[in-house]
Amino acid sequence: MRLDFATLSERDRSKLLTSTVTPRPIALVTSLDAQGRPNAAPFSFFNCLQSTPPLLALGFEPRGPAAGKDSWANIRATGEFIVHLVDEPLLEAMNVAAMDFGPEVDELAEAGLDTAPGDLVAAPRILSAPVAFECRLFQAIELGEAQGIALGEVAAMHIRDALIDAERMRVDTAALAPVSRLHNPGWYARATDLFQLRRLNPADWTRRSADADADKNA
């Protein structure tokens, strides 16, 4: 079946994309507004795009005809934010922060999350998060009223000591056990069924093809 996205409603496009481009990592993002009030919001339109420069991307969709996420306004106003990865112990607090509170409500307090100021940015860092990336706004891409994409350049990374071999810069991703987003209503995935598939090189591929031809002709 072919689906022409130009003929589909915004709702149908969203349903198709979020139920097929899965799983998606979750970013629990903290920021400050121009008055210094904290905000926390989760995003599943999120990923890492580059290592040089180290860029993370957040996608912002409007909540209504003219209402955008507070985080989008905050990030454009201050140029700073912190992205936290979500593991299972952080999942319930993330779900609290996902509620549509007004800008006057501190989602971090509502979720019972302890924080400390970032080392290099002013946004609050969630202390219980397994990984946190302190980011400065690299580029804000406006896509329409109250929506867009924020590219953040990572200035510093915090990671739970037990998750990293600092000498080799190796992260124990299995122990990190990040939770990822699937689709609505409220479907998530655990990273518990893992397997390894090593990348081939041309010499391996040529050898494998030759072995297959030899077996076929034997």
Side-chain angles (χ1 to χ4, degrees), residues 25-209:
I26 301 168
L28 182 52
V29 177
T30 55
S31 58
L32 296 174
D33 68 11
Q35 288 73 47
R37 295 178 298 184
N39 175 269
F43 294 81
S44 68
F45 286 157
F46 156 67
N47 222 309
C48 173
L49 297 185
Q50 295 278 343
S51 58
T52 306
L55 296 181
L56 304 181
L58 301 173
F60 296 82
E61 290 194 309
R63 287 192 296 224
K69 283 201 172 190
D70 298 328
S71 311
W72 180 227
N74 294 353
I75 289 170
R76 287 179 297 163
T78 67
E80 297 180 344
F81 57 100
I82 299 182
V83 172
H84 307 81
L85 300 186
V86 176
D87 58 6
E88 202 155 348
L90 193 55
L91 194 58
E92 288 298 328
M94 181 276 296
N95 204 31
V96 173
M99 289 192 282
D100 287 330
F101 293 113
E104 75 283 354
V105 175
D106 182 351
E107 292 89 353
L108 294 163
E110 295 291 331
L113 291 168
D114 293 328
T115 65
D119 290 346
L120 301 180
V121 305
R125 179 168 66 90
I126 298 170
L127 297 178
S128 58
V131 177
F133 300 98
E134 298 191 24
C135 297
R136 298 190 180 100
L137 182 62
F138 182 84
Q139 185 178 0
I141 303 171
E142 305 276 352
L143 296 178
E145 191 172 19
Q147 68 183 108
I149 297 169
L151 299 180
E153 183 169 1
V154 178
M157 172 180 171
H158 303 263
I159 184 167
R160 195 175 292 150
D161 289 348
L163 295 176
I164 187 167
D165 178 342
E167 287 188 8
R168 298 190 298 164
M169 286 293 160
R170 292 279 182 86
V171 174
D172 188 345
T173 307
L176 168 60
V179 177
S180 56
R181 186 78 163 98
L182 294 176
H183 53 82
N184 284 327
W187 282 95
Y188 294 85
R190 298 182 179 94
T192 51
D193 185 12
L194 308 178
F195 65 93
Q196 187 176 41
L197 180 64
R198 291 190 179 276
R199 182 175 179 174
L200 297 172
N201 60 50
D204 292 334
W205 182 246
T206 300
R207 191 179 306 112
R208 180 183 290 188
S209 300

